[in-house]
């Protein structure tokens, strides 16, 4: 079962392909997505990685959380499920 990982405090210079490359060292990456502003198209400074194996995801989180990439200290952890806050 795949694992979804939150990656925060990304440099605005980070690309999805660079993010994929960074995580693929730790295992199979199913997808890499940087969240962008709908009006400017610029990065919002965070994204999500989906990794095929939970063990690989845990290793990536352990190795990359707090690591300085492109002059920003990344925050990496298991993504929390999206919730409906309308209630």
């Amino acid at each position: 079962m795949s694992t979804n990982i939150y990656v925060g405090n990304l440099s605005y210079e980070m690309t999805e392909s660079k993010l994929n490359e960074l995580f693929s060292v730790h295992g199979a990456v199913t997808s890499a997505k940087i969240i962008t502003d709908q009006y400017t198209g610029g990065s919002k400074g965070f994204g999500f990685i989906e990794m095929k194996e939970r063990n690989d995801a845990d290793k990536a989180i352990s190795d990359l959380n707090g690591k300085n990439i492109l002059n920003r200290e990344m925050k990496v952890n298991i993504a929390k499920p999206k919730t409906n806050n309308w209630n």
Side-chain angles (χ1 to χ4, degrees):
M1 187 165 136
S2 65
T3 301
N4 202 18
I5 301 170
Y6 167 82
V7 186
N9 202 32
L10 291 174
S11 167
Y12 296 113
E13 298 168 15
M14 179 64 76
T15 64
E16 289 178 352
S17 63
K18 288 180 188 176
L19 193 60
N20 187 328
E21 185 178 316
L22 187 63
F23 278 80
S24 66
V25 170
H26 302 285
V29 173
T30 307
S31 68
K33 177 73 176 158
I34 293 177
I35 305 305
T36 57
D37 181 271
Q38 66 178 343
Y39 299 108
T40 67
S43 169
K44 287 191 169 188
F46 71 96
F48 296 93
I49 294 287
E50 187 176 339
M51 295 191 76
K52 188 173 182 179
E53 300 294 332
R54 176 62 188 245
N55 290 341
D56 295 339
D58 290 340
K59 176 73 171 139
I61 291 167
S62 175
D63 288 352
L64 296 173
N65 186 40
K67 188 169 184 172
N68 191 316
I69 304 291
L70 298 174
N71 298 316
R72 300 288 294 264
E73 192 174 297
M74 291 192 315
K75 306 296 181 210
V76 183
N77 53 44
I78 296 293
K80 296 177 182 170
K82 191 173 183 179
T83 60
N84 180 352
N85 293 328
W86 298 341
N87 296 332

